[in-house]
């Protein structure tokens, strides 16, 4: 897996791309995102983008840059909190259904129903029967959404253990980001192996040709953000697309394959 540095100068790591180059590239890609928005509004498209990954993998920063210049009327970010007592006694997918996109909308899930395959599985917040039911039904649920006309993209942001440790420590030290660190985040490193096993099982059981997983090597925040935007733009149709701008690096963003669990492309 790529061990490229992120952009935080205070961490002592040299940025892999200059601030100017990053800013220029991001600006051009955000123009493409505006073009995409104009197109899906005209065509009544429904777009759903799921972001999953380890704690501190960069989901917040990526989503922030995607939606920065988009209309909030047609673009919504969903980051649900702890389920209520009612949620826990309802059909598992029920709490997510009200947030699904209607025509002319793009919805970005900052974590999603895959909580059941990740944190709920690792922390014991669901039973084994509930976990197995989820794993057996989630693909049918997603295929149903896509048959209804929703365009679904699923991204898993993957980082190495040293990178996660450094980012969590930086969040704890920074008064502006301390809010991001929860009790569960403090257990992320201690339960690294359990999270890896849960991730591997989730990817193996829920990756398919209709609703595939796209893996992002996110140790380098800047490159990960840019290449995620390039990837989603390359996979969605819209008018006046600048094809030169939207070619992602295949070493940063790539379709899941089981062999990547063994050759280092996905962190152990």
């Amino acid at each position: 897996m790529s061990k490229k540095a992120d952009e935080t100068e205070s961490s002592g790591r040299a940025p892999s791309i200059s601030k100017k180059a990053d800013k220029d590239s991001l600006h051009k890609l955000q123009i493409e995102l505006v073009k995409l928005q104009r197109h899906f509004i005209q065509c009544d498209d429904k777009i759903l983008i799921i972001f999953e990954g380890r704690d501190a993998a960069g989901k917040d920063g990526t989503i922030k840059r995607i939606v920065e210049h988009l209309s909030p009327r047609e673009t919504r970010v969903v980051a649900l909190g702890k389920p209520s007592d009612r949620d826990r006694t309802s059909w598992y997918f029920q709490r997510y259904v009200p947030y699904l996109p209607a025509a002319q909308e793009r919805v970005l899930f900052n974590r999603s129903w895959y909580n059941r395959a990740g944190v709920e599985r690792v922390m014991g917040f669901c039973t084994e029967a509930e976990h197995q039911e989820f794993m057996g039904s989630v693909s049918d649920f997603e295929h149903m959404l896509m048959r209804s006309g929703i365009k679904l993209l699923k991204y898993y942001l993957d980082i190495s253990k040293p990178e996660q440790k450094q980012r969590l420590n930086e969040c704890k030290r920074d008064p502006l980001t301390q809010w991001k660190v929860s009790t569960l985040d403090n257990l992320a490193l201690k339960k690294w192996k359990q999270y890896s096993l849960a991730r591997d099982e989730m990817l193996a059981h829920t990756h398919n040709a209709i609703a595939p997983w796209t893996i992002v090597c996110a140790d380098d925040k800047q490159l990960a953000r840019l290449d995620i935007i390039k990837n989603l733009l390359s996979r969605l149709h819209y008018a006046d697309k600048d094809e030169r701008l939207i070619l992602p690096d295949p070493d940063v963003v790539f379709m899941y394959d089981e062999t990547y669990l063994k050759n280092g492309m996905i962190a152990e």
Side-chain angles (χ1 to χ4, degrees), residues 16-203:
S16 59
I17 181 174
S18 71
K19 288 185 178 181
K20 184 180 186 305
D22 177 58
K23 184 177 180 180
D24 290 347
S25 296
L26 180 61
H27 178 71
K28 293 175 182 177
L29 291 171
Q30 287 173 331
I31 291 175
E32 294 297 301
L33 287 168
V34 171
K35 293 181 186 177
L36 171 62
Q37 182 173 68
R38 185 184 308 120
H39 182 89
F40 73 68
I41 290 173
Q42 292 174 347
C43 298
D44 287 340
D45 285 344
K46 297 175 284 187
I47 300 173
L48 176 62
I49 307 174
I50 287 176
F51 289 96
E52 292 289 341
R54 294 186 187 270
D55 297 320
K59 299 179 290 296
D60 292 346
T62 298
I63 292 171
K64 177 182 177 181
R65 284 154 181 80
I66 290 173
V67 305
E68 186 174 9
H69 298 289
L70 301 179
S71 167
R73 289 189 299 275
E74 289 81 22
T75 302
R76 292 185 285 113
V77 177
V78 178
L80 299 184
K82 182 179 178 181
S84 66
D85 290 340
R86 185 177 188 278
D87 290 331
R88 284 191 286 269
T89 60
S90 302
W91 176 49
Y92 178 68
F93 297 102
Q94 187 169 324
R95 78 186 289 237
Y96 297 97
V97 169
Y99 302 97
L100 294 173
Q104 302 184 5
E105 290 183 345
R106 169 171 36 197
V107 174
L108 300 91
F109 273 124
N110 187 345
R111 295 196 182 278
S112 65
W113 41 81
Y114 283 102
N115 275 340
R116 177 136 294 178
V119 63
E120 291 189 20
R121 169 72 159 167
V122 172
M123 301 304 299
F125 295 156
C126 67
T127 66
E128 181 63 26
E130 289 172 332
H131 176 259
Q132 291 301 320
E133 167 60 26
F134 170 80
M135 297 295 274
S137 60
V138 63
S139 292
D140 289 338
F141 174 69
E142 291 175 351
H143 295 172
M144 178 178 63
L145 297 183
M146 298 180 76
R147 288 195 300 272
S148 76
I150 291 176
K151 297 179 179 180
L152 173 63
L153 303 179
K154 302 191 300 188
Y155 291 94
Y156 185 88
L157 278 64
D158 192 53
I159 56 175
S160 63
K161 189 174 183 179
E163 182 67 19
Q164 185 186 55
K165 181 178 181 180
Q166 180 150 336
R167 291 188 189 179
L168 289 174
N169 286 336
E170 289 171 356
C171 284
K172 292 176 184 177
R173 291 193 300 264
D174 188 341
L176 294 177
T177 58
Q178 288 174 355
W179 63 270
K180 293 185 177 183
V181 183
S182 67
T183 303
L184 295 180
D185 292 330
N186 290 326
L187 294 173
L189 289 167
K190 293 180 180 179
K191 292 184 175 290
W192 176 271
K193 188 62 176 179
Q194 293 95 316
Y195 273 108
S196 293
L197 292 173
R199 174 205 61 195
D200 296 350
E201 184 178 6
M202 179 192 77
L203 293 173

Side-chain angles (χ1 to χ4, degrees), residues 210-243:
I210 298 175
W213 277 104
T214 299
I215 308 299
V216 183
C217 289
D219 271 12
D220 187 316
K221 287 183 181 180
Q222 291 169 294
L223 291 184
R225 292 165 181 166
L226 295 175
D227 279 284
I228 288 171
I229 297 174
K230 290 177 183 179
N231 181 269
L232 71 88
L233 288 170
S234 69
R235 295 167 64 184
L236 295 170
H237 175 71
Y238 61 96
D240 300 321
K241 182 184 294 189
D242 190 338
E243 300 286 354

Side-chain angles (χ1 to χ4, degrees), residues 10 38 56 103 256:
S10 60
R38 185 184 308 120
Y256 167 78

